Amino acid sequence: MPLTEKDVRYVAELAHLDLTDEEIRKFQPQLDAILGYMQKLNQLDTTQVEPMAQVIAPGGVSLPLRPDRIHESLPQEVALANAPEAGAGHFKVPSVIERE
Amino acid sequence: MSLAAEVRTQYEVVIGLEVHVQLLTQSKIFCGCSTRFGDPANTHTCPVCLGLPGALPALNREAVTMAMKAALALNCGINPRSRFARKNYFYPDLPKGYQISQYDEPLAEDGWLEIELNGAPKQIGVTRVHLEEDAGKSLHEGFPDSDRASYIDLNRSGVPLIEIVTEPDLRSPEEAYEFLTRLKTMMLYLEVSDCNMEEGSLRCDANISVRRAGVSEFGTKTEVKNLNSFRFLQRALAYEAERQIKVLEGGGEITQETRLWDSREQRTHGMRSKEFAHDYRYFPEPDLLPLTITEEWKEEARRSMPELPAARKQRFMREYALTDYDADQLTHSKALASYYEEVVKQGPDPKLAANWILSELMHLLNDAKKDITESTVTPRNLAELLTLIAQGKTSGKMGKEILAEMFASSRRAEEVMAEKGLRQIDDVEMIAAAAREVIAANPRQVEQYRNGKTATFGWFVGQVMKATRGQANPQRVQEVLKKELA
């Protein structure tokens, strides 16, 4: 099933991207081509292969764990150094309102 | 906004809860920053919890152990293999743009917690318990430019949480309240969380729907958020159930949506709903391998669990011959149960101790808005008072006065009793002297009594008590009077 312009709008919205109609028309065939290429992988018979999310085979290595010890944190001014806007020791962002 | 009772009874309310509990680890779940609450904003952060590029998470072993303890206490099965997943959404207090959570392979599944309402026990299914990281904190109010800016504190970003999801087994706001209360008690017993709702270490969302009685399919549900106190939970759910019934009675349909409880207006508001708002595009967290729980680790968690509320209650009934109600009240808080056992260890009668703690001491604590852990009366001192009462050195009535004074001044029972003259007069000679005085002063009543009007006896007892300013042992007074009036 080919990817539609509607799909592109949806994905753009999820990624918080403001795309113009022109861009959407441009990206639709590009995205469709990429996904179409991935379809090639589906042609492989993987019925004998256990699904995996990591390159380390299941059962090989277990997740490394950390003891519950406190390390030193960054000083506040360092933590805030990259903030486009900061104030009163906080990151400042355009006001977020969840209510209707 | 009141609904006729007969309309309400035609509907059944169905509720499921999602509870987030902050774990009491020292450090965060994926980095070594402190989890301490209340420090200056953005002083417990590092590249991992700030979501800086290239930083990698490393799982805190203690967070897993604590989560397992909670899951085992909720009778869940622990999955030998579970996995972390990314939950993707944008919000300013989520620096990475995703939350590391668990999705299709949670830590634990398929448990239950028993609640009791009006004496009837009921098992509430627990669908799953999974581990995740907390987000930072957004402050929308309280700053001079709050009308245009939100302030973000990332100290909380990465604090370990467990999410506990129940089956839709709860049938009323009262049951939901009871479940949350029991769950909180359990977590406090396990010492895996302080469950402080004001500080956000216990948070609860609810899914709620209504259906006509007898209908087997569920109605369309709404999700109610912002339930940051036990009282709000109950009120919000009662409000929402009534709202849904009204919509249906009016021929309308329920829209599946998220609603926020507004405690000021005492109502729920629909959040501006976008259809795709819930498309979190979960996928396995590539930076963390699957989590393997060995039998040994699970046993280690199990062994470190304390006696749980239900077991302690049964033991109290068995060992101390307490009623179901008293044992339940005492074991409701771990601190209270331990206080009780400390008192009993000193020797007083366990039933007497239960009565005094649950009535008199609790009364004083409630009036002073104090917790049992802040009691100025130590278990040893309360035990001493109870022993004085049992030995007849003071009476129950005077004991209450002594306890109030002990509570106010943190002093010992003997000391207060001596100073306030609240010692019970047990000396037969002293009581007899008072009795003789009363008899000599009231010849008419004596005559009546001797002529068979035995009801006067109580009046004599009262007079002797009065003459001794309430200090005489009433038992002795009766014995003495019987002799003197004969």
Side-chain angles (χ1 to χ4, degrees):
Chain A
M1 203 171 64
L3 193 93
T4 64
E5 280 187 19
K6 198 176 155 212
D7 295 325
V8 179
R9 279 180 207 283
Y10 179 74
V11 173
E13 190 103 51
L14 283 176
H16 283 206
L17 294 174
D18 284 323
L19 300 184
T20 62
D21 288 349
E22 195 189 330
E23 285 169 321
I24 285 164
R25 276 192 299 276
K26 181 175 156 196
F27 290 140
Q28 184 269 324
Q30 289 184 11
L31 264 177
D32 192 47
I34 292 166
L35 289 177
Y37 181 71
M38 293 298 154
Q39 288 303 320
K40 257 197 157 22
L41 291 176
N42 283 343
Q43 292 167 13
L44 274 175
D45 178 10
T46 56
T47 48
Q48 299 302 312
V49 182
E50 213 182 306
M52 56 190 273
Q54 275 89 0
V55 287
I56 300 172
V61 183
S62 68
L63 175 62
L65 298 160
R66 186 177 62 76
D68 186 23
R69 275 204 291 274
I70 297 174
H71 72 193
E72 210 178 311
S73 294
L74 296 172
Q76 191 188 61
E77 60 277 15
V78 176
L80 296 172
N82 289 326
E85 202 185 349
H90 292 74
F91 295 89
K92 262 164 88 167
V93 298
S95 117
V96 190
I97 293 167
E98 264 192 45
R99 277 264 315 270
E100 85 195 320
Chain B
M1 147 108 214
S2 195
L3 207 64
E6 64 264 30
V7 176
R8 201 175 308 148
T9 54
Q10 285 166 14
Y11 285 88
E12 185 179 47
V13 182
V14 177
I15 300 167
L17 298 179
E18 280 175 25
V19 187
H20 287 90
V21 178
Q22 252 181 27
L23 299 177
L24 271 180
T25 52
Q26 298 290 309
S27 65
K28 293 184 179 180
I29 184 168
F30 297 123
C31 64
C33 287
S34 169
T35 55
R36 203 168 59 220
F37 181 83
D39 283 340
N42 298 300
T43 52
H44 299 317
T45 67
C46 73
V48 173
C49 55
L50 286 171
L52 299 186
L56 288 173
L59 182 61
N60 183 340
R61 186 178 192 275
E62 187 59 20
V64 181
T65 305
M66 285 185 176
M68 263 199 281
K69 282 159 79 169
L72 289 169
L74 295 170
N75 306 292
C76 287
I78 306 288
N79 289 326
R81 196 187 110 116
S82 67
R83 198 209 293 269
F84 289 93
R86 289 188 182 180
K87 179 180 181 179
N88 299 280
Y89 66 94
F90 288 117
Y91 204 73
D93 58 25
L94 188 75
K96 295 192 296 297
Y98 59 85
Q99 177 194 29
I100 303 179
S101 179
Q102 294 191 299
Y103 185 54
D104 53 351
E105 294 176 76
L107 177 74
E109 289 171 280
D110 203 12
W112 50 268
L113 177 65
E114 187 169 279
I115 63 168
E116 203 175 304
L117 211 65
N118 308 320
K122 180 177 172 184
Q123 277 188 7
I124 305 301
V126 172
T127 317
R128 56 190 275 149
V129 175
H130 76 239
L131 267 165
E132 61 186 30
E133 59 178 343
D134 207 343
K137 200 171 174 182
S138 303
L139 300 150
H140 306 296
E141 283 164 31
F143 292 93
D145 53 351
S146 284
D147 57 320
R148 62 158 204 96
S150 291
Y151 283 64
I152 312 292
D153 174 8
L154 295 178
N155 281 352
R156 204 179 66 182
S157 167
V159 168
L161 294 177
I162 47 172
E163 179 175 324
I164 299 161
V165 182
T166 79
E167 291 290 299
D169 287 347
L170 299 158
R171 289 291 173 270
S172 66
E174 292 73 30
E175 282 191 7
Y177 180 92
E178 172 70 7
F179 177 87
L180 201 60
T181 306
R182 299 264 165 183
L183 185 70
K184 181 180 167 182
T185 302
M186 185 75 90
M187 296 302 132
L188 291 175
Y189 262 76
L190 292 168
E191 291 174 358
V192 298
S193 176
D194 61 19
C195 292
N196 188 330
M197 269 190 141
E198 274 123 56
E199 294 179 5
S201 45
L202 178 69
R203 306 198 282 273
C204 182
D205 300 333
N207 286 305
I208 175 168
S209 64
V210 299
R211 61 181 169 190
R212 278 200 165 270
V215 172
S216 59
E217 346 30 294
F218 292 133
T220 304
K221 67 182 177 187
T222 57
E223 187 183 13
V224 185
K225 291 189 175 230
N226 215 17
L227 306 172
N228 44 23
S229 86
F230 280 69
R231 217 159 21 101
F232 289 174
L233 169 84
Q234 204 171 335
R235 282 208 199 135
L237 291 176
Y239 173 90
E240 183 59 16
E242 191 144 321
R243 187 192 69 84
Q244 291 188 8
I245 293 170
K246 279 192 157 180
V247 169
L248 295 175
E249 283 292 303
E253 274 181 13
I254 304 299
T255 318
Q256 183 161 351
E257 61 179 348
T258 301
R259 299 181 67 85
L260 290 183
W261 172 247
D262 186 327
S263 59
R264 213 169 307 161
E265 293 178 38
Q266 295 282 302
R267 54 165 293 193
T268 60
H269 288 281
M271 272 171 69
R272 196 190 305 248
S273 72
K274 289 181 185 162
E275 264 175 51
F276 55 83
H278 284 295
D279 189 345
Y280 293 125
R281 293 147 293 145
Y282 282 96
F283 65 87
E285 167 57 82
D287 292 341
L288 292 163
L289 287 169
L291 173 61
T292 311
I293 306 289
T294 58
E295 272 306 307
E296 295 76 59
W297 193 0
K298 193 163 92 180
E299 279 318 302
E300 177 197 322
R302 201 191 293 278
R303 272 197 312 275
S304 65
M305 286 164 68
E307 183 184 32
L308 296 176
R312 200 169 199 183
K313 175 183 161 182
Q314 291 305 318
R315 182 169 62 78
F316 275 22
M317 289 169 69
R318 206 171 54 237
E319 240 169 71
Y320 305 127
L322 298 183
T323 60
D324 187 292
Y325 181 81
D326 284 356
D328 196 68
Q329 293 294 304
L330 285 170
T331 52
H332 219 281
S333 132
K334 188 181 191 177
L336 184 62
S338 300
Y339 184 97
Y340 172 73
E341 292 212 280
E342 278 300 309
V343 173
V344 170
K345 220 189 276 170
Q346 315 285 328
D349 176 58
K351 274 189 139 157
L352 187 71
N355 288 342
W356 276 77
I357 291 172
L358 289 175
S359 56
E360 300 312 319
L361 184 61
M362 284 317 264
H363 198 81
L364 290 166
L365 286 167
N366 287 341
D367 282 352
K369 294 197 166 46
K370 278 186 174 172
D371 190 58
I372 186 71
T373 56
E374 303 161 294
S375 173
T376 43
V377 178
T378 63
R380 184 178 287 273
N381 285 351
L382 180 61
E384 185 185 297
L385 172 65
L386 297 180
T387 307
L388 291 173
I389 294 168
Q391 290 169 344
K393 287 190 178 154
T394 188
S395 68
K397 198 163 165 238
M398 289 188 284
K400 287 180 193 176
E401 256 179 81
I402 295 171
L403 184 66
E405 182 56 32
M406 288 164 71
F407 191 81
S409 62
S410 314
R411 280 186 302 162
R412 292 183 47 199
E414 285 253 29
E415 209 183 306
V416 174
M417 181 174 82
E419 186 195 289
K420 297 256 162 184
L422 293 168
R423 186 184 294 278
Q424 181 160 266
I425 299 170
D426 216 28
D427 182 349
V428 177
E429 270 318 303
M430 279 177 76
I431 294 171
R436 277 182 223 124
E437 264 175 48
V438 169
I439 289 168
N442 298 284
R444 206 160 52 89
Q445 280 81 356
V446 174
E447 175 116 13
Q448 283 173 351
Y449 177 78
R450 290 194 175 135
N451 287 338
K453 200 176 167 198
T454 47
T456 329
F457 189 73
W459 181 83
F460 277 107
V461 173
Q463 290 303 304
V464 176
M465 290 305 291
K466 208 165 136 190
T468 57
R469 284 178 311 176
Q471 281 174 257
N473 179 341
Q475 188 69 36
R476 289 280 173 284
V477 172
Q478 298 208 9
E479 288 163 19
V480 168
L481 272 172
K482 277 210 180 103
K483 226 183 278 168
E484 296 290 334
L485 283 166

